[in-house]
Each structure stands twice: as C-alpha cells, then as structure tokens.
Amino acid sequence: MDTDFVTTPFGRRPMTPAMLTGQSKARDVDATQSIDKWKLYRALCEARGRLGISDRTLALLNALLSFYPKTELSSETGLVVFPSNQQLSLRANGMAEQTIRRHLALLVNAGLIARKDSANGKRYSRRHGDGAVREAFGFSLAPLLARSCEIEAMARDVIAERIHLQNVRESLTICRRDIAKFIAMAETEKAPGAWRDHYATFRDIIDGIPRNPDIAIVTAALHDLRALRGLIINMLENWRDSQNPSANPSQNERHIQKSESHSSFDSEPEPTSNIADHRGEESAAVSTREPAVTLSLVLTVCPAIADYAPAQAIRDWRDLAAAANVVGRMFGISPSAYQAACATMGIIPTAVAVSCILERSEHIQSPGGYLRHLTRQSQAGSFSAAQMLMGLMKTRGETETTRVRH
C-alpha cells in the first residue's frame, strides 16, 4: 500500500519531526477507513484556526484533493497524488510556484499531508500492465484520512463555540436594551435613584468590550450587565410598590410585624430609607433569640455573592439583598417562592440563605425547591441563618473562630 513507507525528502530539504510524524500518521490508517474528501475539507475549513492554517493553504489543499480520482478517501485506492507545480497552479487559481512550495510545507508541518519523494525528486507513478497504479511518488493524503475523526471533532467544537458566542451576544444585546430603557423610564418618571451613576456604569461595561471580543470577554460583560439589570429592576420594583402599597399585601403584613420584634442584624449598617423600609422587612419573623450575624461574616463564608453586586462589591445589607435577588433570578427561583421566603424569614435572612445556596450550587439540584424547604423550616421555627452559615463553614472544614454571638 502507499501508506507503508518512511522516506526522507529529496535534495537539500532536511528531515523534520513534522515529516516523521506525518509519515507515522500515514501508517496508522485503517485499511477499512474511508471518508468523503469534500466533507472532510469543509470540516478543515471550520477547524483551520485550531490547525494553524490559512485560507490560502486550504486553497492549495483543495487543489491537491481535486487530483485524487475518487470522492471517498480510502487506502484501498491509494492515497498519493502526484501533480506538478504547474498543474497545481492551474487548479489553485494561478498561485505562484514559490507560494505553492511555501503552502505545501505548511500542510506538511500541520500534519495534513506527507511527502513521498522519488529518487530524483520527480512526482510520478509506476503502473501495472493493466494500468493500475503500482507505486506513486508525490504527496500522501494518508495523514488527512488518519486524522479525519480528530478534524471533524475540532470542527464540531468550533461550530458549537460560534453558536454559543452568538447566543451570548444575543443575550448581551437584550440585556443592554433592557438597562437603557429601564434607566430612561426611571428618569422620565422621576423615580428615586442614582440613575446617572447607573448609566455611567452601564457605559463603562459596554465601552470596555473590544471590537472583536472573544467568548470570555463577552461572557464577563454579560455577567456585569445582568448584575446591573438585577439591581435596577429591584430598585424599580421597590419604587413601584411604594407608589401603590395596597398592591402588595405581604409587604403591609411585614410592616405590621415591625413593632413586634427587632432585627438581630443591627450589628452592621442597614440600608437607608430610599428603598422601601428594609428595617421593617428585615425584622419580620426573625426571633430575638437568634444569634446576630455580621455582614463581614457572611462575605467571609460566602464570597461568591459579591460577584453579583453592583460594581462587584457589597458595602451594606442593601447590596447583599440586591445581589441575592440577582442570584435568585439566575437560578430560576420563581418570584412567588422568593417573595414567600422574604415574607417568612425576612429579606436579609433570605439573602444570607441564597448566598449559602450559591456557594453550594454544585451540590443543590433545585435552588428554588431548596429555598421553599428553608421557608417551611422557618415557618416551623427551625431555620437559622447563623446556623446555616456555621454548617457551610463546617462543610468546608473552616477552622477560624466565628463571630456568631449567642
């Protein structure tokens, strides 16, 4: 067979590791293996970036494939083609001979073809009496056939990455549109809030995306925009509820409970009153016997929650609540389940619970179902945000002394 050879190049060309590798690939071809050469060529076009070859190099490979007489590449019919540079130039749209030699070397170095040089360096074939090719000298396509599965897998990965990038870009465009229109509405309706600052943050994220970003940059920008959109939605919903208190009976119920207990989270600065009186909401259904939890402890045990806060920093309980709201939406927790948790446990204990869920997200199949379970525990009087933090610390094997006061 034409695949059973190891040969060195003719003339002054030195033997290289790439040539040896290509010839080794040629010997690895399964005698029963075959593939449509043009299907494989299309896969090469998709995977060319990973293989380090250009469109000009592919154009020359296309010309080489056109000299293979069958549609199916198979070792049974031989895999060596032997066109002259002049013939290659005609089928490669007039490519110069010097350019042909350069791109042939690139194909060899990429491990896609292998040289099989004759004693005098000429490309030709020897035939049997019946006209069948007995031996040929030129370029073997055996490495291409041997790597066909690898090349097709590369092409599938490249296509999947391109589709993923398109989806992320589409999500970023929608998120960008949402933020711009939410801010415009807020300014038109004169809703309270630092809308100019939010718009400046929005522009910083958008302007930081280069003209041709990779998937990591677009994903990071989408993450930041989603966090900003979550904060803006939270502010607008609180403003809407303050405009029409009767539309939110659970909020009124929490305000009634305000006089019955005092929040155990007063050891850290609380949000100011420009967002629907979180003091009353945080104190709802929180027992005065529950140990106090500091914001610094929450951030020590649950550092990941900070990634979803405005500017990726949590400065007070309000930022924690806003970040937890974003995470809840990201996890697909229904608004009714989240609202029920806030009504039963309080906004801040719910935010602490969501922060813990985020840290353990790899082990929790249904964050929404788990939050409902915690809500039922709170209704039975057996939920404690402090105990949940302690449990998370023990799971991680933390040894530092906690700041939980009994």
Side-chain angles (χ1 to χ4, degrees):
M1 283 193 309
D2 289 323
T3 56
D4 295 333
F5 69 89
V6 174
T7 183
T8 56
F10 170 78
R12 296 182 179 180
R13 290 196 305 271
M15 186 67 178
T16 65
M19 292 181 186
L20 185 60
T21 300
Q23 293 181 27
S24 298
K25 288 287 186 183
R27 296 197 307 274
D28 292 340
V29 174
D30 188 335
T32 62
Q33 185 178 0
S34 66
I35 189 171
D36 185 306
K37 63 182 180 180
W38 299 123
K39 177 184 176 183
L40 183 57
Y41 179 75
R42 288 192 293 272
L44 275 167
C45 291
E46 292 288 353
R48 68 181 183 275
R50 294 194 178 188
L51 292 167
I53 56 177
S54 67
D55 52 351
R56 295 293 302 279
T57 306
L58 279 173
L60 185 61
L61 180 60
N62 182 289
L64 277 175
L65 288 172
S66 71
F67 285 98
Y68 188 78
K70 304 289 185 179
T71 301
E72 292 283 323
L73 286 178
S74 171
S75 61
E76 293 181 354
T77 55
L79 289 166
V80 176
V81 291
F82 39 90
S84 67
N85 285 348
Q86 183 179 7
Q87 290 173 317
L88 278 174
S89 177
L90 290 174
R91 296 200 188 182
N93 301 319
M95 186 179 290
E97 184 171 340
Q98 184 178 0
T99 305
I100 288 175
R101 286 197 294 268
R102 184 172 71 253
H103 287 295
L104 285 172
L106 289 173
L107 287 170
V108 171
N109 291 334
L112 298 177
I113 64 173
R115 291 183 181 274
K116 187 180 179 183
D117 286 351
S118 64
N120 60 5
K122 300 296 184 180
R123 301 170 200 158
Y124 61 89
S125 65
R126 293 194 180 103
R127 298 178 182 272
H128 295 287
D130 59 1
V133 174
R134 176 167 57 90
E135 189 175 19
F137 297 96
F139 299 101
S140 172
L141 302 175
L144 193 61
L145 178 59
R147 299 182 63 187
S148 59
C149 293
E150 175 193 353
I151 292 168
E152 289 183 320
M154 282 185 187
R156 286 193 296 270
D157 289 345
V158 169
I159 293 171
E161 287 178 2
R162 183 168 65 243
I163 293 174
H164 178 53
L165 178 59
Q166 290 173 349
N167 291 338
V168 173
R169 283 179 175 273
E170 181 179 293
S171 297
L172 188 141
T173 299
I174 293 173
C175 195
R176 178 176 177 174
R177 180 189 67 200
D178 291 347
I179 291 173
K181 292 194 174 184
F182 280 143
I183 291 177
M185 181 193 74
E187 291 184 334
T188 300
E189 299 296 328
K190 295 183 170 43
W195 304 114
R196 292 292 179 183
D197 293 341
H198 293 322
Y199 185 78
T201 301
F202 168 63
R203 288 309 318 172
D204 287 343
I205 297 171
I206 296 301
D207 296 340
I209 303 174
R211 183 178 295 273
N212 295 308
D214 57 24
I215 184 64
I217 293 175
V218 179
T219 301
L222 177 61
H223 176 275
D224 293 341
L225 287 176
R226 280 177 169 169
L228 180 60
R229 180 175 64 179
L231 174 65
I232 291 172
I233 289 174
N234 189 56
M235 294 178 66
L236 289 173
E237 287 180 344
N238 284 323
W239 167 70
R240 179 201 61 193
D241 293 342
S242 68
Q243 295 293 104
N244 186 17
S246 61
N248 192 349
S250 61
Q251 184 186 49
N252 293 339
E253 183 179 344
R254 292 197 296 272
H255 281 297
I256 292 172
Q257 293 173 348
K258 177 180 177 181
S259 62
E260 297 177 359
S261 61
H262 298 281
S263 174
S264 61
F265 295 88
D266 289 342
S267 57
E268 290 286 328
E270 291 183 348
T272 55
S273 58
N274 64 339
I275 291 183
D277 198 4
H278 279 193
R279 287 181 186 269
E281 293 177 337
E282 291 167 11
S283 62
V286 179
S287 169
T288 57
R289 295 191 300 271
E290 183 176 5
V293 174
T294 63
L295 181 60
S296 57
L297 175 62
V298 176
L299 298 180
T300 299
V301 180
C302 307
I305 192 68
D307 294 337
Y308 300 88
Q312 294 188 337
I314 292 180
R315 297 158 295 183
D316 51 31
W317 292 115
R318 177 173 52 189
D319 286 347
L320 181 70
N325 190 289
V326 173
V327 172
R329 293 173 185 272
M330 180 188 72
F331 279 149
I333 297 175
S334 66
S336 60
Y338 200 93
Q339 186 179 30
C342 290
T344 304
M345 296 187 289
I347 286 182
I348 299 304
T350 299
V352 174
V354 171
S355 301
C356 292
I357 291 173
L358 177 62
E359 293 295 325
R360 298 276 296 165
S361 58
E362 292 182 358
H363 306 282
I364 299 175
Q365 294 184 352
S366 175
Y370 190 68
L371 185 62
R372 290 188 185 92
H373 171 69
L374 296 178
T375 303
R376 290 192 294 270
Q377 283 191 334
S378 180
Q379 290 171 341
S382 59
F383 171 78
S384 168
Q387 291 177 3
M388 191 171 185
L389 287 169
M390 288 292 292
L392 181 56
M393 290 182 68
K394 290 179 181 178
T395 300
R396 288 177 170 177
E398 295 279 350
T399 58
E400 65 181 48
T401 303
T402 64
R403 287 171 288 178
V404 177
R405 292 184 287 110
H406 295 276

